[in-house]
Amino acid sequence: MKPSQDIAVKCSGVTKDYGVGDAKVTALRGINLDVYQGELLILAGPSGCGKTTLISIIGGILKRDAGQCTVLGKDLENMNTAERARFRGTTIGFVFQAFNLLPTLTAAENVAVPLLISGEERKFAIQCARAALDQVGLSERADALPSQLSGGQQQRVAIARALVHNPKIIICDEPTSNLDHATGHAMMEILRNVAQAPDRALVVVTHDTRIYEFADRIAHMDDGKIAEVTVGAKEAQVQ
């Protein structure tokens, strides 16, 4: 399925600095980027080029210094704290590079967190979490603590947590970094199938060139800018 022309995420002239004076570092230098519904967009580029800063702004974790950024037509910076948290909790799924799993919760309980935050009953949330873990091949480890899981298994728990509440926007920071090739390929197949829904979009930050084949488009970043946007392998196949 080709991406639609409906825009899921729109960034216009987005800038971001860290620090002040002599210590100031410019992370983003006027980013212009559209992400379309039904699209898997990869953000590629060297370390320090601004990829993680950009997805953090898209996800409402960081505030931009200038420019505009809307997600499904909404500017998260125009929301109060509660509205922004509610929007993120129902609309955006995150896969963090550091996993951010809670060590005292089982895999199923970790995956259920987005649903519990949204007010779902615990029994229903755990049921959905177990189904999401099954989707990533971890149903037999649903009751294990993070410390009892390998790095690759923890990564799959993090992916299941990002999918459990059926978000419209999924943001992934190096989702295959701790997975072997076969498992990483399988996880990208799952994410790709999710992204292909006409009302969803997936943004993936990666250094893993092996997963470029899953992209509709690849936005190449360098020194805080979008250097170029190229057609990904999936999109090329349908042209």
Side-chain angles (χ1 to χ4, degrees), residues 103-123:
T104 59
L105 300 185
T106 66
E109 290 169 336
N110 266 287
V111 174
V113 164
L115 295 175
L116 295 170
I117 290 174
S118 297
E120 298 289 353
E121 292 185 358
R122 178 180 171 82
K123 182 178 180 180

Side-chain angles (χ1 to χ4, degrees), residues 159 163 170 172 175 187-195 202:
I159 291 171
L163 301 179
I170 302 167
C172 305
M187 290 304 99
M188 287 305 299
E189 286 282 6
I190 292 170
L191 291 171
R192 173 69 196 172
N193 289 336
V194 170
L202 178 61

Side-chain angles (χ1 to χ4, degrees), residues 158-184:
I159 291 171
R161 181 182 57 193
L163 301 179
V164 71
H165 57 301
N166 196 27
K168 301 298 184 186
I169 309 293
I170 302 167
I171 298 172
C172 305
D173 193 359
E174 301 285 358
T176 61
S177 61
N178 289 280
L179 305 178
D180 59 57
H181 178 65
T183 304

Side-chain angles (χ1 to χ4, degrees), residues 9 14 22 28 40 70 72 83-84 91 102 110 128 147-148 154 163 182 192 203 208 210-211 215-216 234:
V9 177
V14 173
D22 293 340
L28 300 179
L40 192 162
T70 59
L72 299 178
E83 291 170 338
R84 188 161 53 249
T91 308
L102 299 173
N110 266 287
C128 292
S147 61
Q148 299 170 319
Q154 290 182 48
L163 301 179
R192 173 69 196 172
V203 180
D208 188 354
R210 298 173 301 176
I211 68 172
D216 292 297
K234 285 291 184 182

Side-chain angles (χ1 to χ4, degrees), residues 39-224:
E39 174 176 48
L40 192 162
L41 176 82
I42 281 180
L43 283 177
S47 295
C49 71
K51 302 186 302 295
T52 298
T53 296
L54 179 56
I55 61 171
S56 296
I57 288 173
I58 292 172
I61 297 172
L62 281 179
K63 288 189 174 183
R64 62 187 181 266
D65 292 330
Q68 295 293 319
C69 182
T70 59
V71 178
L72 299 178
K74 298 183 182 298
D75 188 337
L76 274 67
E77 291 195 18
N78 291 336
M79 302 177 185
N80 61 38
T81 301
E83 291 170 338
R84 188 161 53 249
R86 185 163 53 249
F87 183 83
R88 285 202 308 255
T90 57
T91 308
I92 303 175
F94 293 95
V95 180
F96 299 100
Q97 187 174 6
F99 310 148
N100 290 353
L101 301 180
L102 299 173
T104 59
L105 300 185
T106 66
E109 290 169 336
N110 266 287
V111 174
V113 164
L115 295 175
L116 295 170
I117 290 174
S118 297
E120 298 289 353
E121 292 185 358
R122 178 180 171 82
K123 182 178 180 180
F124 174 76
I126 294 295
Q127 182 181 29
C128 292
R130 290 181 179 276
L133 285 168
D134 183 57
Q135 189 178 13
V136 299
L138 274 185
S139 57
E140 77 285 356
R141 303 294 283 157
D143 296 317
L145 295 171
S147 61
Q148 299 170 319
L149 301 173
S150 68
Q153 289 173 329
Q154 290 182 48
Q155 182 73 299
R156 284 189 275 168
V157 173
I159 291 171
R161 181 182 57 193
L163 301 179
V164 71
H165 57 301
N166 196 27
K168 301 298 184 186
I169 309 293
I170 302 167
I171 298 172
C172 305
D173 193 359
E174 301 285 358
T176 61
S177 61
N178 289 280
L179 305 178
D180 59 57
H181 178 65
T183 304
H185 192 278
M187 290 304 99
M188 287 305 299
E189 286 282 6
I190 292 170
L191 291 171
R192 173 69 196 172
N193 289 336
V194 170
Q196 282 186 318
D199 60 346
R200 294 197 187 100
L202 178 61
V203 180
V204 178
V205 166
T206 188
H207 289 97
D208 188 354
T209 58
R210 298 173 301 176
I211 68 172
Y212 281 12
E213 65 183 276
F214 292 94
D216 292 297
R217 293 185 304 147
I218 303 171
H220 302 269
M221 292 189 66
D222 189 32
D223 194 25

Side-chain angles (χ1 to χ4, degrees), residues 18-39:
Y18 296 105
V20 295
D22 293 340
K24 186 173 77 171
V25 175
T26 298
L28 300 179
R29 303 173 185 271
I31 293 291
N32 296 307
L33 182 68
D34 293 340
V35 183
Y36 298 100
Q37 292 184 353
E39 174 176 48

